[in-house]
Amino acid sequence: MATTNDIKNGTVLSIDGQLWNVIEFQHVKPGKGGAFVRTKLRNVTSGKVVDRTFNAGAKIDTATVDRRDYQYLYKDGADFVFMDTADYDQIHLSTEAVGGAANFMLENQTVLIALHNGEALYIELPPSVVLEITYTEPGLQGDRSSAGTKPATLETGYEIQVPLFVETGTKVKVDTRDGSYLGRVND
């Protein structure tokens, strides 16, 4: 058992038989009354996000989660195959377990997989990745970065919005949390 003082971003809590990942937390000490901890939690299985408040010093149940580096190897039907970089064991994850991370993963890319009792909970990608644009409509003469956006297809098949001046074959930096364009990358 831990206390609310042990809460950090990424901590996995076991509440009412379900696992919740701490997205944000804030220790609050009001001028009047007792201190408390305000948290934003994401359900590991469903992805639902809730706000929850704990009294300061209250006992909480943390789950043991093993975060390991895995290398994404290939897609096998509906499953994704990953290899543990430490012991070379391979695991198969369903499309539901991989979730939105599939939009930004390339073969041989290293990802962080959180495991609880041998079961994969979720995949953590770096905050941004560099991907190549495989198709986008050509821009028009005089297009500027603030003039608007157009759809572009990445090498993973995912479609994002990019400025009008970006062309096919350009490498771009993409935010893995929301799929937004962050800028061009020069080789």
Side-chain angles (χ1 to χ4, degrees), residues 31-75:
K32 186 170 161 183
F36 58 92
V37 179
R38 186 178 298 137
T39 62
K40 187 178 282 191
L41 306 171
R42 176 182 293 126
N43 188 307
V44 170
T45 52
S46 69
K48 180 181 176 183
V49 176
V50 297
D51 292 326
R52 179 118 185 220
T53 304
F54 299 96
N55 290 330
K59 300 282 186 204
I60 54 172
D61 191 16
T62 58
T64 36
V65 175
D66 185 23
R67 289 179 172 86
R68 291 181 161 186
D69 283 332
Y70 280 82
Q71 183 178 17
Y72 169 52
L73 298 177
Y74 57 90
K75 187 168 183 181

XYZ file of all heavy atoms in Angstrom, residues 31-75:
355
model
N -6.050 27.323 1.960
C -5.815 28.085 3.189
C -6.653 27.585 4.341
O -6.296 27.709 5.504
N -7.785 27.015 4.015
C -8.700 26.545 5.049
C -9.047 25.086 4.738
O -9.364 24.748 3.609
C -9.956 27.411 4.983
C -10.967 27.178 6.043
C -11.951 28.300 5.888
C -13.263 28.201 6.460
N -14.129 29.272 6.199
N -8.939 24.210 5.704
C -9.261 22.800 5.479
C -8.006 21.986 5.220
O -6.897 22.504 5.180
N -8.202 20.703 5.016
C -7.088 19.782 4.818
C -6.597 19.759 3.387
O -7.313 20.090 2.450
N -5.369 19.327 3.210
C -4.775 19.197 1.882
C -5.396 18.005 1.152
O -5.912 17.075 1.770
C -3.273 19.021 2.005
N -5.342 18.062 -0.169
C -5.844 16.950 -0.974
C -5.053 16.858 -2.267
O -4.278 17.746 -2.606
C -7.355 17.093 -1.251
C -7.741 18.358 -1.959
C -7.816 18.411 -3.345
C -8.058 19.511 -1.238
C -8.179 19.570 -3.994
C -8.427 20.675 -1.883
C -8.484 20.711 -3.266
N -5.234 15.748 -2.982
C -4.557 15.515 -4.253
C -5.619 15.384 -5.331
O -6.485 14.514 -5.258
C -3.682 14.240 -4.201
C -3.010 14.002 -5.540
C -2.654 14.340 -3.096
N -5.546 16.259 -6.322
C -6.474 16.227 -7.455
C -5.766 15.492 -8.588
O -4.642 15.818 -8.943
C -6.793 17.667 -7.879
C -7.852 17.763 -8.943
C -8.161 19.211 -9.286
N -8.693 19.909 -8.118
C -8.329 21.141 -7.754
N -7.420 21.794 -8.428
N -8.879 21.718 -6.707
N -6.414 14.458 -9.148
C -5.791 13.655 -10.205
C -6.696 13.549 -11.419
O -7.918 13.703 -11.325
C -5.490 12.220 -9.716
O -6.718 11.586 -9.363
C -4.544 12.208 -8.546
N -6.070 13.295 -12.560
C -6.786 12.941 -13.783
C -6.307 11.542 -14.125
O -5.105 11.309 -14.290
C -6.461 13.919 -14.909
C -7.309 13.702 -16.149
C -7.010 14.717 -17.224
C -7.701 16.016 -16.879
N -7.675 16.977 -17.989
N -7.239 10.590 -14.180
C -6.909 9.182 -14.368
C -7.498 8.653 -15.676
O -8.611 9.025 -16.054
C -7.469 8.345 -13.212
C -7.081 8.771 -11.794
C -7.898 7.990 -10.774
C -5.612 8.567 -11.565
N -6.745 7.764 -16.349
C -7.233 7.108 -17.567
C -7.350 5.623 -17.284
O -6.405 4.989 -16.821
C -6.284 7.329 -18.733
C -6.747 6.565 -19.999
C -5.824 6.700 -21.185
N -5.813 8.054 -21.669
C -4.708 8.783 -21.830
N -3.541 8.276 -21.548
N -4.782 10.003 -22.292
N -8.534 5.065 -17.574
C -8.739 3.632 -17.411
C -7.868 2.911 -18.435
O -7.923 3.214 -19.627
C -10.218 3.290 -17.608
C -10.515 1.858 -17.250
O -9.871 0.938 -17.746
N -11.497 1.670 -16.392
N -7.067 1.965 -17.974
C -6.108 1.288 -18.838
C -6.800 0.466 -19.922
O -6.353 0.428 -21.060
C -5.169 0.397 -17.985
C -4.323 -0.494 -18.849
C -4.293 1.271 -17.110
N -7.925 -0.159 -19.600
C -8.579 -1.019 -20.590
C -9.521 -0.253 -21.508
O -9.523 -0.463 -22.710
C -9.359 -2.159 -19.900
O -10.220 -1.596 -18.916
C -8.407 -3.138 -19.245
N -10.332 0.650 -20.969
C -11.326 1.332 -21.800
C -10.855 2.669 -22.347
O -11.411 3.175 -23.324
C -12.620 1.555 -20.998
O -12.405 2.521 -19.984
N -9.849 3.292 -21.716
C -9.373 4.590 -22.169
C -10.161 5.765 -21.618
O -9.864 6.918 -21.902
N -11.187 5.488 -20.803
C -12.017 6.543 -20.214
C -11.184 7.398 -19.262
O -10.391 6.882 -18.485
C -13.177 5.905 -19.467
C -14.113 6.872 -18.804
C -15.220 6.139 -18.066
C -16.097 7.114 -17.313
N -17.121 6.428 -16.552
N -11.361 8.723 -19.327
C -10.622 9.643 -18.471
C -11.575 10.241 -17.438
O -12.657 10.707 -17.789
C -9.972 10.770 -19.306
C -9.273 11.778 -18.405
C -8.987 10.184 -20.300
N -11.160 10.196 -16.156
C -11.978 10.752 -15.074
C -11.099 11.602 -14.162
O -9.886 11.423 -14.089
C -12.664 9.649 -14.232
C -13.630 8.828 -15.056
C -11.648 8.761 -13.559
N -11.738 12.534 -13.472
C -11.070 13.317 -12.439
C -11.409 12.689 -11.093
O -12.560 12.335 -10.850
C -11.551 14.770 -12.468
C -11.101 15.503 -13.718
O -10.000 15.205 -14.207
O -11.852 16.361 -14.214
N -10.417 12.573 -10.232
C -10.652 11.980 -8.918
C -9.828 12.735 -7.889
O -8.678 13.090 -8.150
C -10.246 10.509 -8.955
C -10.431 9.795 -7.650
C -11.419 8.680 -7.757
N -11.650 8.103 -6.448
C -11.783 6.833 -6.232
N -11.729 5.989 -7.218
N -12.011 6.386 -5.023
N -10.401 12.963 -6.733
C -9.727 13.678 -5.654
C -9.513 12.738 -4.473
O -10.417 12.000 -4.089
C -10.574 14.898 -5.215
O -10.821 15.714 -6.359
C -9.849 15.715 -4.178
N -8.305 12.773 -3.920
C -7.954 11.962 -2.753
C -7.550 12.897 -1.620
O -6.940 13.934 -1.858
C -6.761 11.047 -3.050
C -6.989 10.065 -4.156
C -6.572 10.343 -5.449
C -7.590 8.843 -3.908
C -6.757 9.439 -6.470
C -7.776 7.930 -4.930
C -7.367 8.230 -6.212
N -7.864 12.526 -0.383
C -7.364 13.270 0.774
C -5.864 13.040 0.884
O -5.373 11.951 0.601
C -8.055 12.815 2.061
C -9.508 13.230 2.106
O -9.889 14.250 1.533
N -10.324 12.430 2.771
N -5.125 14.067 1.276
C -3.673 13.937 1.407
C -3.347 12.879 2.450
O -3.962 12.820 3.514
C -3.059 15.274 1.801
N -2.405 12.009 2.127
C -1.979 10.963 3.042
C -2.862 9.732 3.039
O -2.589 8.776 3.750
N -3.911 9.717 2.220
C -4.802 8.555 2.159
C -4.071 7.371 1.543
O -3.181 7.526 0.709
C -6.042 8.890 1.340
N -4.451 6.178 1.951
C -3.846 4.957 1.421
C -4.428 4.667 0.042
O -5.638 4.741 -0.165
C -4.119 3.774 2.340
C -3.587 3.943 3.743
C -2.108 3.695 3.782
C -1.634 3.726 5.226
N -0.232 4.039 5.325
N -3.554 4.328 -0.902
C -3.984 3.951 -2.251
C -3.298 2.650 -2.624
O -2.234 2.320 -2.082
C -3.661 5.042 -3.294
C -2.173 5.405 -3.240
C -4.527 6.265 -3.110
C -1.726 6.319 -4.343
N -3.906 1.913 -3.531
C -3.363 0.631 -3.965
C -2.724 0.821 -5.337
O -3.418 1.121 -6.309
C -4.489 -0.407 -4.017
C -3.959 -1.811 -4.211
O -2.747 -2.024 -4.012
O -4.766 -2.692 -4.562
N -1.408 0.673 -5.410
C -0.725 0.799 -6.695
C -0.532 -0.586 -7.300
O -0.356 -1.566 -6.587
C 0.655 1.480 -6.539
O 1.434 0.722 -5.632
C 0.514 2.905 -6.045
N -0.587 -0.653 -8.609
C -0.384 -1.918 -9.320
C 1.056 -1.979 -9.804
O 1.630 -0.968 -10.211
C -1.339 -2.003 -10.504
N 1.640 -3.173 -9.763
C 2.993 -3.328 -10.272
C 2.932 -3.460 -11.781
O 2.345 -4.397 -12.315
C 3.690 -4.570 -9.681
O 2.732 -5.610 -9.533
C 4.358 -4.286 -8.384
N 3.520 -2.494 -12.447
C 3.531 -2.467 -13.907
C 4.979 -2.471 -14.354
O 5.785 -1.652 -13.920
C 2.792 -1.220 -14.440
C 2.921 -1.128 -15.944
C 1.332 -1.271 -14.037
N 5.302 -3.427 -15.211
C 6.651 -3.564 -15.743
C 6.677 -2.898 -17.113
O 5.967 -3.321 -18.017
C 6.999 -5.052 -15.844
C 8.430 -5.286 -16.275
O 9.271 -4.386 -16.095
O 8.706 -6.392 -16.794
N 7.480 -1.838 -17.255
C 7.612 -1.148 -18.546
C 8.903 -1.642 -19.203
O 9.977 -1.498 -18.636
C 7.643 0.358 -18.349
C 6.321 0.928 -17.931
C 6.429 2.439 -17.735
N 5.131 3.047 -17.504
C 4.562 3.143 -16.320
N 5.158 2.651 -15.264
N 3.381 3.706 -16.193
N 8.759 -2.187 -20.408
C 9.917 -2.736 -21.111
C 9.983 -2.200 -22.530
O 8.959 -1.915 -23.140
C 9.826 -4.257 -21.196
C 9.986 -4.968 -19.900
C 9.901 -6.445 -20.142
N 10.469 -7.184 -19.046
C 10.613 -8.484 -19.063
N 10.254 -9.172 -20.106
N 11.127 -9.092 -18.025
N 11.211 -2.141 -23.049
C 11.410 -1.750 -24.446
C 11.146 -2.952 -25.342
O 11.686 -4.037 -25.127
C 12.842 -1.264 -24.673
C 13.062 0.141 -24.148
O 12.090 0.914 -24.113
O 14.206 0.468 -23.781
N 10.308 -2.738 -26.329
C 10.016 -3.752 -27.342
C 10.243 -3.144 -28.713
O 10.077 -1.947 -28.900
C 8.559 -4.232 -27.247
C 8.313 -5.243 -26.154
C 8.122 -4.855 -24.841
C 8.264 -6.600 -26.452
C 7.898 -5.784 -23.837
C 8.040 -7.534 -25.451
C 7.859 -7.125 -24.161
O 7.638 -8.046 -23.171
N 10.616 -3.998 -29.653
C 10.797 -3.559 -31.026
C 9.611 -4.057 -31.840
O 9.268 -5.245 -31.785
C 12.100 -4.114 -31.591
C 12.412 -3.643 -32.988
C 13.750 -4.195 -33.470
O 14.284 -5.143 -32.915
N 14.278 -3.584 -34.506
N 8.960 -3.137 -32.569
C 7.838 -3.528 -33.416
C 8.408 -4.228 -34.648
O 9.201 -3.656 -35.380
C 7.026 -2.296 -33.811
C 5.994 -2.561 -34.887
C 5.084 -3.603 -34.754
C 5.934 -1.786 -36.028
C 4.135 -3.855 -35.735
C 4.990 -2.028 -37.016
C 4.101 -3.063 -36.864
O 3.175 -3.317 -37.837
N 8.006 -5.485 -34.859
C 8.544 -6.263 -35.967
C 7.673 -6.185 -37.217
O 8.124 -5.774 -38.276
C 8.729 -7.725 -35.551
C 9.724 -7.980 -34.413
C 9.769 -9.450 -34.055
C 11.098 -7.468 -34.792
N 6.407 -6.617 -37.108
C 5.526 -6.636 -38.279
C 4.089 -6.847 -37.831
O 3.821 -7.177 -36.682
C 5.942 -7.740 -39.259
C 5.973 -9.129 -38.656
C 4.839 -9.947 -38.685
C 7.122 -9.631 -38.056
C 4.862 -11.215 -38.125
C 7.155 -10.890 -37.498
C 6.021 -11.679 -37.538
O 6.037 -12.925 -36.980
N 3.171 -6.670 -38.788
C 1.760 -6.924 -38.528
C 1.427 -8.301 -39.088
O 1.747 -8.609 -40.231
C 0.898 -5.847 -39.180
C -0.549 -5.969 -38.799
C -1.348 -4.760 -39.184
C -2.768 -4.989 -38.681
N -3.636 -3.917 -38.995
